Structures are given as structure tokens and as C-alpha cells.
Amino acid sequence: MTTTRQFEKQTEALIDDLKSVCANYGLGNDGNEFKIITQVFLYKFLNDKFVHEVKQLDDKVAQADNWEEVLKKYNADDYEMLLMQMSESTARLQPKQFISSLFERQNEANFSDIFDTTLLDIAKENSDLFSVLTEGGEKIVLFENISKYVTDKRDDFCKAIINKLVHFSFENIFHEKFDFYAKIFEYLIKDYNTNSGGKYAEYFTPHAVASIMARCLVSGKVSNVSCCDPSAGSGTLLMNLAHQIGEDKCTVYSQDISQKSSNLLRLNLILNDLVHSIPNIVKGNTILEPYHKDKNGNLLKFDYIVSNPPFKLDFSDFSGELDTKENHERFFAGIPNIPKTKKESMAIYLMFLQHIMFTLSDKGKAAIVVPTGFITAQSGIERKIREEMVERKMLRGVVSMPSNIFATTGTNVSILFLDKTNSKGDIVLIDASKLGTTVKEGKNQKTLLSPQEEDTIINTFNQHEPVADFSVVVSYEDIKAKNYSLSAGQYFEVKIEYTDISPAAFAAKMNAFETNLSALFSESKTLEMEIQNNLKGLKYE
């Protein structure tokens, strides 16, 4: 019996083999390697999931030594009936599109064209459910011609890919859930999920941060809710949130300006049994052109929102377009000015934060990663946003994280929690900055939280526990009295230790202080005389 860890290792080995093929054909560390690896991996996953489901529906296929031959003997009507019985989350494939069929045809002339055409046909036949939309309404389908990225020996390249895929099977791991696929997804994209110079930086939110956000947001049973991330990246936060709620109890929405991120998120949704949400994944600019709207053209309101937005970014080329009558309520606190220098320092996270507050439903909850400086800034847009959170009674709490929780940035971060049902107050502020263990990751320092430390943060938050020098529970009035500061440290009690002492001991201490002071004054006068004498000597010279 193969263990989950053995499956994990085998899957990682397949990914390494695919990268090795790319390297052998001149694509190692090439920007197009990412497209090839992720699409080929997805093709294999969808192929095996199709076969797995067919075997559940037809015992003849399940028991056959050669299931491909059984399926090829189906007439058109019977095959169509079989497809109709399959779950919506399974891609529809024809027998000629199976990996085993391509394996049998690998020695035919122009095999690369056969390979590419197969992928394109699968993408076309499944475009309604598996396509990512752009804000202009165009569809980004599952697959493209991948052999075009190879300049020479395209047929050999495609043969090498097929030969790596045919000897591996996902069939035995479809029962696995979130934790397994989260690790596989992270391994798959670890070499590609970096800032590639695009509009928004793409980086992988640490598991500890994603877990804390999800488990503090969802502490009870919920169902039939909407979840959104307006700057989704590869979807780490959304996957953790959906898993905490239950993949079948929520619908996911997202928007991200990066096509690369949108493709990664689609892959993540497929791996985590959230295919039903793929039509809600949009490539576009959330701040300038938010896509998700109701039938009346108003922005959709969401029950849960998670976000780790870019903190700073030059958005001067469209900031002027945001100052419209329609946007005054959405961007109530204002739009950052365009600096004369360092335009890249514009605080775009403040725009995402205002957008999130505007798009929360009446019962909505949100968790947003912000620079820790936001929680104490005493002026500007930051202060206005905090005041609004308090005045509208939608603040739930703040967790200030350890430094270097993100290895890619030196910025200290906090997690801001909103809850529009928290009208009575009871706000939990946690200073977790002293937790964690520092490790080296490449050239950077990174702080890792242990599972026990994660649990401490989450349990303290959910149970509203005040803990000395770690957490406080405050009211909206308390926050107003502290100039709207959301830093836990400003609410901690100042401890003054008193020591009992006898009159005689007190007098002895005072005498000692007086003796020391007299000696210091005497020494000071001596030094002063020496300095004056030295100055006189210099004058006469």
C-alpha cells in the first residue's frame, strides 16, 4: 500500500522529470518553461481524473486489462451518455485524446502537431467551464501550442513529454484533500512564483499567514457563501478559506491583473475540487475596472474577502481615472497623491483596502495583510480608513506578525480583520511579533511559526482572550481614546513593581545617593578647572 508521502514524492519526481525534459531542449529557466510544465501537468491530471471517473461509472472499464480498448468500442451515442453521467468538474475527453493514445502515435510524422492539436481540441471542447475570463470578456482557455516554445526537434520534445506522463498515474490520490494538493501545488510553482516585472508582484503567501486568516475568519459552520480575493495571485488565501468553509459550501470569485496568476489560480481550483468557480476567475484590474457586478450593474458584495495586496506600486497612469463621482463612496478616504519621485512607492494597498470595505456584504467578514505601519499612522488616508472602520463598527481585530514572515520583503506586516456584524465591539489586538524561529532562505532571513504558535494566535483570537504582553480585548471607545491606534502594545498595562523597605534601609539608600552625587559634583568641578586652565594656556600661546 503506497502511503500519501510516497505519492507526494512520486508526484514531485514527475514534476522534476518534466523540468528535466525542458532543460534538455534548451528551456531550463526559460520564461516559457512555466507554461509548458503547468499545462502538461494539468493535462495529465485531467486525463487521469477522467479515467478514474469512468471506472466508477462502468464496471467493464474498471475490470478490463486494457480500459482504453473498451472505451474505443463505445458507439457515439453510448459514449455521449457516459459523458453526461460524469461530474461537471471532470473535463470531457475523447479516446483519441488520452495520453495512452498519444503514446501509441508517438512515432507518426509531425507528432508535435498531433500533440498540440490534441491539447487545443481539449481546451476548445471544455472552454465553457474551464476558461478564465478577461475583463473584456475574452476567454483564456486551458491549453495552447506548447511545442512552439521549442526551436528545434519539436517532435522529439513532445515524445519525451508523453513518455514521462504515461508511466505515472494520479488515479490513487483523487481521494486526497487540501493539504496534499497544497504541498503539490507549492512544489509545482516554486521556481515560477516570483515577481516577473509585471504590474503586480506575485509571491506565495506563507502557509502560516493563510491558515491564521482562514481559521480566524471561519470558526463555525457556514454554507452557501461567496468568497473573494481582489488580488488573488496564485490563490493560496482563497484555497485555505475555501477548505476551512468546505469546498462544496462556497463559491469563489477573484480578479488579478496578471494572466500568469490567473492561470495558476485556475490550476489550484482544479486540484482542490473548486472547478465550479473557474468562470468567476477574471484577469483584470480590480481597482480601475472591477468586474464582478450584479444584474443592475452594482458591484457584487461578498460574504468573505481575503487579500494580500501589493503594498506599493506605481499606478499613476490610471489614478486620475479613479477620481470620479461613481468612485467617491468606494474610495471614501481618498487616492494617494502621485509623488514627484519614486512613483513606485504609491500605496496601492490603501485602494484595495477601501475596495474591500465597500464590497463586503451586510454580514461580511474580511482578512487583509497590511504593512504594520498602517495600524498606527496618525494622518492621511491610513488614519481616515481606521476611523471609518471604527465609526462603522466593522473592526474585528489585528494580529501583528513577526518580522520577516515574508522572506521576500523586509516590511513588517499585520493581519487586519473586519466583521460587519461586530457592532458591539469586543476587538482583539494581538502582538505576535516575538513568536517564531528565524531561518535562512536563500539570501534572506525568514521567520517560521510552529503549528503550536499558529494555534496560540488563532485560539486567543477566536476565544477573545486577553493575555499579558500578548493580547488585549478592547472596545470601539477604547480605540477612539487611543487616537484610533490598533497596536496591541499601546493597550498593555504598564507594570510598576513595588518593594517593601524599612525606614532605616530607605535612609541608607538616600545617604548613598547623596554621597555619590557629592563625589560626582566634586569631580565635575575639578574637570571644569582643568579645562579653564588649558584654555588660558592656549590663549597666551
Side-chain angles (χ1 to χ4, degrees):
M1 184 72 179
T2 308
T3 66
T4 301
R5 182 56 189 152
Q6 286 172 320
F7 277 132
E8 196 177 309
K9 282 294 187 184
Q10 291 170 6
T11 308
E12 291 174 356
L14 171 65
I15 295 167
D16 291 341
D17 284 346
L18 295 174
K19 290 180 180 179
S20 177
V21 171
C22 288
N24 290 339
Y25 286 84
L27 293 169
N29 298 318
D30 184 280
N32 295 315
E33 183 189 31
F34 156 77
K35 298 177 183 177
I36 294 170
I37 297 295
T38 52
Q39 289 185 73
V40 168
F41 183 90
L42 185 53
Y43 172 40
K44 176 60 177 171
F45 186 86
L46 294 175
N47 177 94
D48 289 2
K49 189 172 184 185
F50 179 91
V51 173
H52 175 74
E53 189 155 342
V54 167
K55 289 180 178 179
Q56 309 302 310
L57 295 170
D58 190 333
D59 285 341
K60 289 185 298 181
V61 177
Q63 296 169 9
D65 292 332
N66 190 330
W67 57 265
E68 296 98 327
E69 290 303 318
V70 177
L71 282 177
K72 288 176 182 176
K73 290 177 181 177
Y74 271 64
N75 61 47
D77 290 341
D78 288 343
Y79 197 84
E80 186 62 31
M81 183 62 68
L82 183 69
L83 295 182
M84 290 174 65
Q85 296 177 63
M86 304 185 81
S87 67
E88 285 190 359
S89 63
T90 303
R92 274 52 176 164
L93 303 180
Q94 299 298 322
K96 65 179 181 180
Q97 296 167 341
F98 298 154
I99 287 172
S100 55
S101 298
L102 288 184
F103 179 75
E104 292 174 356
R105 300 182 64 188
Q106 63 179 296
N107 292 320
E108 293 183 20
N110 302 315
F111 178 68
S112 60
D113 292 336
I114 297 171
F115 185 92
D116 285 342
T117 300
T118 298
L119 292 185
L120 292 176
D121 287 346
I122 293 172
K124 183 178 179 181
E125 290 163 19
N126 294 276
S127 65
D128 286 347
L129 186 58
F130 285 89
S131 293
V132 169
L133 289 175
T134 67
E135 59 195 5
E138 297 296 318
K139 288 183 176 181
I140 304 171
V141 296
L142 276 171
F143 304 121
E144 58 183 312
N145 289 326
I146 66 169
S147 72
K148 67 182 179 183
Y149 298 115
V150 182
T151 55
D152 195 21
K153 296 183 178 181
R154 293 169 62 237
D155 288 349
D156 291 341
F157 171 75
C158 291
K159 287 181 189 178
I161 291 289
I162 283 296
N163 278 277
K164 294 298 184 186
L165 299 180
V166 77
H167 298 301
F168 175 87
S169 176
F170 280 117
E171 282 192 67
N172 293 318
I173 56 175
F174 288 119
H175 66 279
E176 295 294 339
K177 290 298 180 183
F178 173 74
D179 288 338
F180 175 84
Y181 290 114
K183 291 176 184 175
I184 292 302
F185 180 78
E186 188 168 356
Y187 190 85
L188 179 66
I189 70 168
K190 66 184 177 70
D191 294 332
Y192 313 118
N193 201 30
T194 56
N195 182 13
S196 53
K199 272 283 185 183
Y200 294 171
E202 300 156 330
Y203 48 85
F204 197 91
T205 305
H207 175 77
V209 175
S211 177
I212 290 168
M213 291 169 75
R215 291 171 61 194
C216 288
L217 275 183
V218 187
S219 55
K221 290 185 178 181
V222 294
S223 61
N224 193 29
V225 293
S226 57
C227 304
C228 181
D229 187 338
S231 56
S234 59
T236 307
L237 296 182
L238 279 173
M239 295 306 101
N240 276 268
L241 177 62
H243 176 64
Q244 188 67 22
I245 293 170
E247 288 82 358
D248 60 338
K249 295 178 176 63
C250 63
T251 303
V252 168
Y253 296 79
S254 82
Q255 190 166 355
D256 196 288
I257 203 166
S258 164
Q259 182 170 328
K260 176 181 173 184
S261 291
S262 300
N263 285 333
L264 285 175
L265 177 54
R266 170 170 56 189
L267 173 58
N268 225 343
L269 291 171
I270 292 171
L271 292 178
N272 287 285
D273 204 21
L274 285 159
V275 170
H276 62 277
S277 291
I278 291 177
N280 304 325
I281 306 309
V282 176
K283 175 199 169 294
N285 186 329
T286 303
I287 302 304
L288 180 61
E289 296 179 318
Y291 180 86
H292 298 295
K293 299 178 181 178
D294 63 22
K295 60 184 178 182
N296 297 318
N298 300 313
L299 291 186
L300 279 183
K301 307 288 184 175
F302 300 101
D303 300 317
Y304 290 90
I305 301 178
V306 286
S307 183
N308 179 11
F311 290 168
K312 295 181 179 180
L313 178 77
D314 176 9
F315 62 103
S316 59
D317 55 346
F318 64 83
S319 63
E321 299 177 54
L322 300 174
D323 191 11
T324 64
K325 182 179 178 181
E326 293 77 16
N327 275 332
H328 281 177
E329 188 178 354
R330 182 162 69 121
F331 300 129
F332 60 87
I335 301 164
N337 294 324
I338 302 173
K340 293 180 180 178
T341 59
K342 293 193 71 175
K343 290 183 180 180
E344 67 276 9
S345 68
M346 293 177 69
I348 196 169
Y349 82 93
L350 296 172
M351 306 305 291
F352 279 99
L353 192 44
Q354 293 177 84
H355 172 83
I356 289 167
M357 292 171 66
F358 183 76
T359 52
L360 271 180
S361 70
D362 290 339
K363 60 178 181 179
K365 300 179 180 181
I368 311 105
V369 179
V370 297
T372 293
F374 167 81
I375 67 177
T376 55
Q378 283 305 299
S379 62
I381 297 174
E382 295 91 337
R383 164 80 180 224
K384 289 180 183 177
I385 291 175
R386 296 203 315 275
E387 287 181 11
E388 191 76 5
M389 289 174 179
V390 171
E391 296 304 324
R392 288 167 57 185
K393 296 187 174 178
M394 61 189 302
L395 182 63
R396 175 66 183 84
V398 173
V399 178
S400 294
M401 300 298 287
S403 59
N404 299 317
I405 197 75
F406 289 89
T408 52
T409 174
T411 305
N412 287 344
V413 304
S414 294
I415 306 172
L416 178 69
F417 291 91
L418 305 179
D419 182 351
K420 291 185 79 171
T421 66
N422 192 33
S423 58
K424 293 181 180 178
D426 198 16
I427 298 144
V428 183
L429 305 178
I430 295 177
D431 180 3
S433 62
K434 297 180 180 65
L435 300 184
T437 302
T438 301
V439 298
K440 192 86 169 175
E441 186 170 283
K443 296 179 180 179
N444 302 312
Q445 297 282 343
K446 184 176 183 180
T447 301
L448 298 178
L449 292 176
S450 69
Q452 292 76 21
E453 289 172 322
E454 284 182 45
D455 289 341
T456 296
I457 293 170
I458 294 162
N459 293 335
T460 301
F461 190 91
N462 287 336
Q463 294 169 15
H464 311 262
E465 287 184 345
V467 178
D469 296 327
F470 182 69
S471 66
V472 291
V473 180
V474 298
S475 67
Y476 288 117
E477 294 305 316
D478 293 331
I479 292 175
K480 289 180 184 179
K482 291 284 188 180
N483 289 319
Y484 297 91
S485 171
L486 304 183
S487 173
Q490 295 195 20
Y491 297 85
F492 291 156
E493 289 185 17
V494 177
K495 296 177 181 177
I496 302 175
E497 293 187 4
Y498 295 93
T499 304
D500 289 334
I501 188 169
S502 68
F506 178 77
K509 280 184 177 288
M510 293 303 295
N511 285 334
F513 289 145
E514 288 177 7
T515 301
N516 287 337
L517 282 172
S518 296
L520 289 171
F521 280 132
S522 176
E523 185 179 346
S524 174
K525 286 183 178 179
T526 301
L527 288 171
E528 188 177 346
M529 290 289 290
E530 288 180 6
I531 291 170
Q532 287 178 351
N533 290 333
N534 287 335
L535 287 174
K536 286 179 182 178
L538 288 171
K539 183 177 179 182
Y540 291 122
E541 287 177 5

